[in-house]
Amino acid sequence: MNYTALSDETLVRLVATGDRDALGTLYDRYSRLVFSLVVRVVGEGMAAEEVTQDTFMGVWRGAASFQPERGQFSSWLLAIARNRAIDELRRGRGRPLTDSEPLTVATNWSDGMSGTLEEISLRRLVIRRALAELPDVQRQAVELAYFYGMTHHEIADHLDEPLGTIKTRIRLGMQRLRAVLQLAEKMQALPKT
Amino acid sequence: MTCQEIQDLIPAYVLSALDPPDLVAVMEHLRLCRTCEAEVAAYRRVADMLPFATPATEPPPELKLRLMAQIEREAAGKLDTRGKSVTPKVTGRSRPGWIRGERSVPRIILWGAAAALVATIALGIMVIQLRSALDQQVAQTRSLQALLQRQQQINSFLTSPNMVTLNVQATAAGSQTHGRLFLSRDSQHALLVVDDLPPLPAGQVYQLWLIRDGERDSGGIFTVDEQGYGVLLVEAPHPIRMYQAIGVTNEPPGGSPGPTGTKWLEARF
């Protein structure tokens, strides 16, 4: 079977039946992206490798619970990776993780091209440009929340800024990112919804 | 809280950045409000893009081997558990003579020879398996190294400060098509994004051509989905600045050495 031609959703279904080659194909497709995200959160080293391995073991063990109608595989995978990386980070800080987010998140990305190097490259290009257009303080607040799992209060403490200021920075930053990404879609630079 | 107050908190909600009182208020509100739920979906799409902003970092090649070994161990563990219930017990009656303590020298020799033969065969199989695994690992490492080199080149292209965007024009054959080309003149890479390009019959692909002084170099082949959306990471043999234009034609599977089909798209640099 030519696994590389199969969609993510088909591969996850095969993984759920115990197909190791299907998991290997998903690893080849996404390991760089997962590892990049994990390194961004926990830094380079053994911890990043262990979290990445643990993320794909999570896919191996939990493939049967993946529900394609609730979102794309890549969103599910990256949510697992992010949660486990932040968990690892907090363990390092001696702070318990309060996991308030479901692993499966809603998304409307077109499924046709997901996972290809081209698709990933395109998303990298668009989001980097969108982030580059944010004022530094807004980008910093969004990144502390997303990559370090910090709450409003924790960011305010970390930056020694008023809580209201942090709330505003995150709101404005995300609003602006949303506007730029919508514009990219209109300009046909991103898949249609 | 009003919908407006909740919607102000939704960007932080999708980032998991809400502290408990706000989090509870948002979750309660979302149970009943479809409008705010739609806002959550829209902001989740933004949050889903953030991992793509991280600098690309290649995992070490041995990580995949460790992962697959862990999966093998887990799978083997399950098989062992299943196997235990069907493994026949060895009874005293069925044990060979040397276990029962019989002094039959020829039988011992026979058992020894059989054991040696089994051991030799097992060793032979193990050597073959190890050699095959080693060959596979060498091939895998080479393939990962090539992939890493390609990714590094792509990263350098994506982070280029000189990136420009070019509108790609449709020819008469592809009049509904829109296309954009992201390129950096010093790079050998570019990114083509097209929309509303007709899906081709089975066995046909689109091929991009880079045109230099009348010569045409292939920049890669691609297909489009049902909506006509397609993306191609163009890999040129020379830096883009050496070319004057691009064109896109339909070609047989795997592409052609030179354009043979209808021209669908074109752009001049």
Side-chain angles (χ1 to χ4, degrees), chain B residues 152-212:
Chain B
Q152 281 167 342
Q153 288 170 352
I154 294 166
N155 284 346
S156 134
F157 154 63
L158 290 177
T159 52
S160 164
N162 304 319
M163 175 126 22
V164 293
T165 310
L166 199 68
N167 280 320
V168 178
Q169 307 297 323
T171 62
S175 56
Q176 299 300 310
T177 306
H178 310 280
R180 296 171 69 74
L181 190 69
F182 298 88
L183 60 94
S184 166
R185 292 186 191 284
D186 294 330
S187 167
Q188 286 176 241
H189 289 92
L191 197 66
L192 174 73
V193 181
V194 294
D195 212 0
D196 292 326
L197 198 55
L200 292 170
Q204 289 271 305
V205 293
Y206 285 109
Q207 187 164 8
L208 182 140
W209 302 99
L210 295 135
I211 303 163
R212 178 171 61 116

Side-chain angles (χ1 to χ4, degrees), chain B residues 29-231:
Chain B
H29 185 93
L30 288 176
R31 284 172 52 207
L32 304 168
C33 182
R34 299 298 93 164
T35 311
C36 290
E37 200 178 61
E39 280 290 290
V40 170
Y43 275 107
R44 282 219 195 280
R45 298 186 60 208
V46 178
D48 282 351
M49 286 290 280
L50 291 170
F52 294 89
T54 54
T57 314
E58 192 75 24
E62 64 272 18
L63 186 57
K64 184 178 180 185
L65 300 177
R66 288 210 299 268
L67 171 72
M68 299 318 280
Q70 190 181 355
I71 285 168
E72 289 292 331
R73 278 198 303 277
E74 280 205 3
K78 282 179 189 164
L79 282 177
D80 280 353
T81 311
R82 281 201 293 272
K84 272 176 190 166
S85 60
V86 294
T87 305
K89 288 182 180 172
V90 179
T91 63
R93 184 182 286 270
S94 63
R95 283 177 191 161
W98 58 274
I99 293 179
R100 292 202 303 269
E102 291 172 7
R103 294 178 184 278
S104 167
V105 175
R107 190 168 285 187
I108 290 170
I109 291 169
L110 199 63
W111 276 103
L117 185 63
V118 169
T120 307
I121 292 169
L123 194 64
I125 291 171
M126 201 185 293
V127 167
I128 291 167
Q129 282 176 340
L130 280 172
R131 185 167 296 166
S132 159
L134 190 64
D135 287 348
Q136 214 176 350
Q137 282 183 21
V138 168
Q140 204 168 30
T141 306
R142 281 194 190 132
S143 138
L144 283 168
Q145 279 169 342
L147 201 63
L148 175 62
Q149 193 182 8
R150 183 174 177 229
Q151 186 62 41
Q152 281 167 342
Q153 288 170 352
I154 294 166
N155 284 346
S156 134
F157 154 63
L158 290 177
T159 52
S160 164
N162 304 319
M163 175 126 22
V164 293
T165 310
L166 199 68
N167 280 320
V168 178
Q169 307 297 323
T171 62
S175 56
Q176 299 300 310
T177 306
H178 310 280
R180 296 171 69 74
L181 190 69
F182 298 88
L183 60 94
S184 166
R185 292 186 191 284
D186 294 330
S187 167
Q188 286 176 241
H189 289 92
L191 197 66
L192 174 73
V193 181
V194 294
D195 212 0
D196 292 326
L197 198 55
L200 292 170
Q204 289 271 305
V205 293
Y206 285 109
Q207 187 164 8
L208 182 140
W209 302 99
L210 295 135
I211 303 163
R212 178 171 61 116
D213 303 328
E215 297 288 314
R216 281 157 178 79
D217 291 334
S218 174
I221 58 174
F222 65 100
T223 55
V224 294
D225 64 16
E226 294 90 359
Q227 283 86 43
Y229 172 80
V231 180

Side-chain angles (χ1 to χ4, degrees), chain A residues 20-21 23-25 27-28 31-33 35-37 39-40 44 46 48-50 52-54 56-57 60-61 74-75 78 82-83 100-102 104-110 112-113 117-129 131 141-142 145-147 149-155 163 167 170-171 174-175 177-178 181-182 185 187-193, chain B residues 7-9 11-19 22-23 27 38-39 41-64 66-68 70-76 78-79 140 144 147-148 150-151 154-155 158-165 178 180 182 191 193-196 223-225 227-233 235:
Chain A
R20 292 163 226 181
D21 291 334
L23 185 83
T25 307
Y27 180 91
D28 292 340
S31 59
R32 188 181 309 104
L33 186 60
F35 191 65
S36 304
L37 171 62
V39 165
R40 179 73 175 78
E44 286 193 73
M46 274 310 288
E49 293 178 26
E50 282 166 12
T52 302
Q53 186 172 341
D54 193 36
F56 283 96
M57 283 309 296
W60 173 250
R61 292 169 185 147
S74 58
S75 299
L78 290 167
R82 176 185 176 238
N83 283 355
S100 59
E101 283 293 301
T104 306
V105 292
T107 176
N108 298 316
W109 286 112
S110 153
M113 303 288 292
L117 189 57
E118 283 77 8
E119 181 73 2
I120 290 171
S121 299
L122 179 61
R123 291 188 187 190
R124 271 193 204 288
L125 176 70
V126 170
I127 187 64
R128 282 187 184 186
R129 298 220 139 190
L131 278 169
V142 169
Y146 187 80
F147 294 112
M150 288 189 182
T151 65
H152 278 146
H153 263 110
E154 288 168 332
I155 298 170
L163 181 62
K167 285 186 173 183
I170 287 189
R171 178 168 53 80
M174 289 292 282
Q175 280 173 352
L177 282 180
R178 181 182 173 183
L181 295 176
Q182 278 175 342
E185 275 176 24
M187 290 163 63
Q188 327 268 326
L190 283 176
K192 280 194 280 197
T193 56
Chain B
Q7 285 176 16
D8 284 350
L9 292 173
Y13 172 73
V14 301
L15 296 173
S16 316
L18 291 181
D19 291 294
D22 287 339
L23 180 62
M27 289 174 82
E39 280 290 290
Y43 275 107
R44 282 219 195 280
R45 298 186 60 208
V46 178
D48 282 351
M49 286 290 280
L50 291 170
F52 294 89
T54 54
T57 314
E58 192 75 24
E62 64 272 18
L63 186 57
K64 184 178 180 185
R66 288 210 299 268
L67 171 72
M68 299 318 280
Q70 190 181 355
I71 285 168
E72 289 292 331
R73 278 198 303 277
E74 280 205 3
K78 282 179 189 164
L79 282 177
Q140 204 168 30
L144 283 168
L147 201 63
L148 175 62
R150 183 174 177 229
Q151 186 62 41
I154 294 166
N155 284 346
L158 290 177
T159 52
S160 164
N162 304 319
M163 175 126 22
V164 293
T165 310
H178 310 280
R180 296 171 69 74
F182 298 88
L191 197 66
V193 181
V194 294
D195 212 0
D196 292 326
T223 55
V224 294
D225 64 16
Q227 283 86 43
Y229 172 80
V231 180
L232 170 69
L233 183 68
E235 299 189 72

